[in-house]
Amino acid sequence: MEFIGVDWGSTRFRAWALLDDGQIASGVESDLGLKSVADGNFSGALTETCGEMLTGAPGMPILLSGMVGSRTGWKEAPYCACPASIEDVTAAAIRFDIAGHPAAILPGATCVDGNGHADVMRGEEIQIFGAADMLGLKDATICIPGTHAKWASLVGGLLTGFQTHVTGELFALLRGHSLVGQLADGDDEDLDAFRRGIDHGMKKAAAHAVFAARADALQGKLAPKAVSAFLSGVLIGNELAARPQGGMGATILLATGVLAERYAVALEHVGEQFVVVDAKEAARAGQMLAAKTLWQHAAANGEGA
Amino acid sequence: MEFIGVDWGSTRFRAWALLDDGQIASGVESDLGLKSVADGNFSGALTETCGEMLTGAPGMPILLSGMVGSRTGWKEAPYCACPASIEDVTAAAIRFDIAGHPAAILPGATCVDGNGHADVMRGEEIQIFGAADMLGLKDATICIPGTHAKWASLVGGLLTGFQTHVTGELFALLRGHSLVGQLADGDDEDLDAFRRGIDHGMKKAAAHAVFAARADALQGKLAPKAVSAFLSGVLIGNELAARPQGGMGATILLATGVLAERYAVALEHVGEQFVVVDAKEAARAGQMLAAKTLWQHAAANGEGA
């Protein structure tokens, strides 16, 4: 199944042509995020940015994911409700035509907790299905760190539910714009301070625990250069204390780069066994699954009809 | 005991002449916060702003509290360690002379939790002693809402410990500068949404619970006009879940205005019995206690020597 995968967010555009074996034949990346598209001409922006990748492969399917499917994107693809399989997700895709290419925008996923409150994700669900496929797993607990970190449960191949934690966004706000982060000097990696932060955040409410980053610094118990790492630890520890535990299957840390390293340290520190899967590889693996479901099955059905 | 009380913060200056019975003889308020004082001439700024209040009462003691005693203020008055009585706090005051007036800058208070992390307050300790004195109590749990809300324990007249929750600061950051508050339309008081927020915040970790303000809005479960009240409820509920419970004595809500009303609704909602004390009255009552300890006792001792 060859196709063009597009990850289109608010500030970044990424596209790649994927071969049958999941290898990348070509790729393009630009700053042409959704916010930068003039006059809502998303079609023009896409074809112009992809250029030869599109014109050289007439009729090749285009799979779009990310904020491109949100209310403020190109076309809204309403969230698919949990429990959901990869087939449920792709069935909810918005299908249309881009300059002769069959195209689909993937929806996000939504779930409702025991108190009736909603949760949403957009893009992570494809990474989750991709990671599980890479590992050959049907049951897993998946942690995806980030601005809005996700903890998801996969049971029998179905995404049954998930919780968002705005850990990354809180860290950025508190580190950069609050009295809590005011005494920080730089953002050194300090694993000792980070682990002490995790211990504190595991035990105390977040709005209280973060204040130790200020109070300890004022009282000479925390060096200004260690404040940032400590604060990061407090917030991640608070997230880990609320993580789903005791589920079936492995715990997958789905991440890349610094965040992958940081969460690996944190999960080890709290004694959680886990497998790391690269987030970008998982995204491609998930897109491959989705593309097959969307076009290969359809083509096979068409041939059989 | 007649004296001049000064509450000098980063952005505001307030002073009042207090009579023996705690009544205010005169007062002055200005924007001359600590940040606005040129060339570190705090003495000049104070005497100029107070004018006749000072020159008309030669030798009258001046009691200063607030950030004026912090590291970035006029003179640093190091935090007094808990457990602390009002006498311990005043004994740690920085005493000096301002244009012939005996003066003192009050310290803040500090405590250490079971994990060795520090907490600090500056100014609230005087309000706490003042409120307890107004009510004739030696044992109480005191809640002071605000940017950095405090929950303190008074046992046998001693401030034994306290916890800061950066609830107000988190609300301002999330409401004004995050994706969580992005879908909010205005800041209407909506008690129903506020109470639903409290219920959610009582049960879930803050970084997760606040995300419902976005996800519920995206899924049409929460009106944009109710997002702000819901978010406020989530954060206050999360704070209330971590409050000290089962202590001796009454619970005192030490607050003024909108925050007093909002926390009263929240405490009622979670079934907590409490007494409300006006924060400004408590501050004056506490200053009166401190001034008596600093100068009346000293004068009496002097006369007796």
Side-chain angles (χ1 to χ4, degrees):
Chain A
M1 178 68 217
E2 296 185 8
F3 70 100
I4 292 162
V6 180
D7 176 14
W8 206 346
S10 302
T11 58
R12 298 289 294 166
F13 176 98
R14 290 187 199 88
W16 47 85
L18 286 184
L19 301 177
D20 265 340
D21 59 0
Q23 294 303 304
I24 301 170
S26 61
V28 61
E29 195 162 344
S30 97
D31 289 333
L32 197 71
L34 297 161
K35 285 182 187 168
S36 309
V37 174
D39 306 323
N41 186 7
F42 296 99
S43 182
L46 176 79
T47 49
E48 193 168 317
T49 309
C50 287
E52 172 70 16
M53 194 193 292
L54 244 67
T55 53
M60 186 177 283
I62 303 173
L63 183 67
L64 299 107
S65 62
M67 294 301 282
V68 64
S70 75
R71 203 167 296 172
T72 54
W74 186 352
K75 292 171 190 287
E76 185 175 5
Y79 299 100
C80 177
C82 289
S85 63
I86 178 80
E87 289 79 14
D88 294 330
V89 169
T90 53
I94 303 286
R95 304 180 74 144
F96 60 115
D97 181 277
I98 303 174
H101 297 261
I105 296 182
L106 291 175
T110 187
C111 64
V112 178
D113 72 12
N115 303 322
H117 291 290
D119 210 326
V120 294
M121 55 169 56
R122 194 174 281 281
E124 291 93 346
E125 66 291 338
I126 285 299
Q127 294 181 302
I128 290 167
F129 290 119
D133 189 58
M134 287 167 68
L135 297 171
L137 292 174
K138 295 281 185 195
D139 302 294
T141 298
I142 302 99
C143 167
I144 313 181
T147 303
H148 290 179
K150 311 285 180 186
W151 279 86
S153 299
L154 194 74
V155 179
L158 297 177
L159 177 63
T160 52
F162 56 89
Q163 296 86 45
T164 301
H165 292 257
V166 301
T167 306
E169 191 166 26
L170 270 186
F171 175 75
L173 289 170
L174 289 171
R175 169 66 187 87
H177 306 282
S178 81
L179 288 167
V180 167
Q182 194 189 36
L183 302 175
D185 176 8
D187 292 285
D188 287 1
E189 285 292 332
D190 180 332
L191 289 183
D192 184 51
F194 179 62
R195 290 192 187 97
R196 276 184 285 132
I198 292 169
D199 290 338
H200 193 45
M202 288 280 290
K203 289 182 195 142
K204 302 282 183 174
H208 168 58
V210 296
F211 190 68
R214 178 174 179 83
D216 280 356
L218 279 170
Q219 291 297 74
K221 290 165 162 283
L222 185 66
K225 281 188 170 298
V227 166
S228 179
F230 177 79
L231 180 59
S232 172
V234 167
L235 292 169
I236 292 174
N238 205 257
E239 178 189 322
L240 292 190
R243 76 191 188 279
Q245 291 184 67
M248 288 186 296
T251 294
I252 303 175
L253 172 56
L254 220 170
T256 303
V258 172
L259 271 183
E261 290 168 28
R262 191 165 281 201
Y263 270 69
V265 170
L267 287 166
E268 274 162 23
H269 186 63
V270 304
E272 177 85 35
Q273 301 279 329
F274 62 96
V275 188
V276 181
V277 173
D278 182 83
K280 287 182 186 173
E281 285 181 37
R284 283 198 299 274
Q287 282 207 339
M288 184 70 75
L289 284 177
K292 280 182 187 167
T293 310
L294 279 164
W295 292 294
Q296 198 157 291
H297 296 185
N301 291 345
E303 283 161 16
Chain B
M1 178 68 217
E2 297 186 9
F3 70 100
I4 293 162
V6 179
D7 176 13
W8 206 346
S10 301
T11 58
R12 299 289 294 168
F13 176 96
R14 292 188 197 88
W16 47 85
L18 286 184
L19 301 177
D20 265 339
D21 58 0
Q23 294 303 304
I24 301 171
S26 61
V28 61
E29 194 161 345
S30 99
D31 288 334
L32 196 73
L34 297 162
K35 286 181 187 167
S36 309
V37 174
D39 305 323
N41 185 9
F42 296 101
S43 182
L46 176 79
T47 48
E48 195 170 313
T49 309
C50 288
E52 171 70 15
M53 195 193 291
L54 245 66
T55 54
M60 185 177 283
I62 303 174
L63 183 68
L64 299 108
S65 63
M67 293 301 282
V68 65
S70 75
R71 203 167 296 171
T72 55
W74 186 351
K75 292 171 190 285
E76 184 176 4
Y79 299 101
C80 176
C82 289
S85 64
I86 178 79
E87 289 80 13
D88 294 330
V89 169
T90 53
I94 303 286
R95 305 181 73 145
F96 58 116
D97 180 279
I98 303 174
H101 297 262
I105 296 183
L106 291 174
T110 187
C111 65
V112 179
D113 73 11
N115 303 322
H117 291 291
D119 210 328
V120 294
M121 56 169 55
R122 195 174 279 283
E124 291 93 345
E125 66 291 338
I126 284 299
Q127 294 181 303
I128 290 167
F129 290 119
D133 189 60
M134 284 167 68
L135 297 171
L137 293 173
K138 295 282 185 193
D139 302 296
T141 299
I142 302 98
C143 168
I144 313 180
T147 302
H148 290 178
K150 310 286 180 185
W151 280 86
S153 299
L154 195 75
V155 179
L158 296 178
L159 177 62
T160 53
F162 57 89
Q163 297 86 45
T164 300
H165 292 256
V166 300
T167 306
E169 192 165 26
L170 270 186
F171 176 76
L173 289 171
L174 289 171
R175 169 65 186 89
H177 307 282
S178 82
L179 288 167
V180 167
Q182 195 189 36
L183 302 175
D185 176 9
D187 292 287
D188 287 2
E189 286 291 333
D190 180 330
L191 290 183
D192 185 51
F194 180 61
R195 289 193 187 97
R196 275 184 287 131
I198 292 169
D199 290 338
H200 193 45
M202 287 280 290
K203 289 182 195 140
K204 303 281 183 176
H208 168 58
V210 296
F211 190 68
R214 179 175 179 83
D216 281 354
L218 279 170
Q219 291 297 74
K221 289 165 162 285
L222 183 67
K225 281 189 169 300
V227 166
S228 179
F230 177 79
L231 181 59
S232 172
V234 167
L235 291 169
I236 292 174
N238 205 257
E239 178 188 322
L240 293 189
R243 75 191 188 280
Q245 291 184 67
M248 288 187 297
T251 294
I252 303 174
L253 172 57
L254 220 170
T256 302
V258 172
L259 271 183
E261 289 168 29
R262 192 166 280 202
Y263 269 70
V265 169
L267 287 167
E268 274 163 22
H269 187 63
V270 303
E272 177 85 35
Q273 301 279 330
F274 62 96
V275 188
V276 182
V277 173
D278 182 83
K280 289 183 185 172
E281 285 180 38
R284 282 197 299 275
Q287 281 207 339
M288 184 68 77
L289 284 176
K292 279 183 187 166
T293 310
L294 280 163
W295 291 295
Q296 197 157 291
H297 297 184
N301 290 346
E303 283 164 14

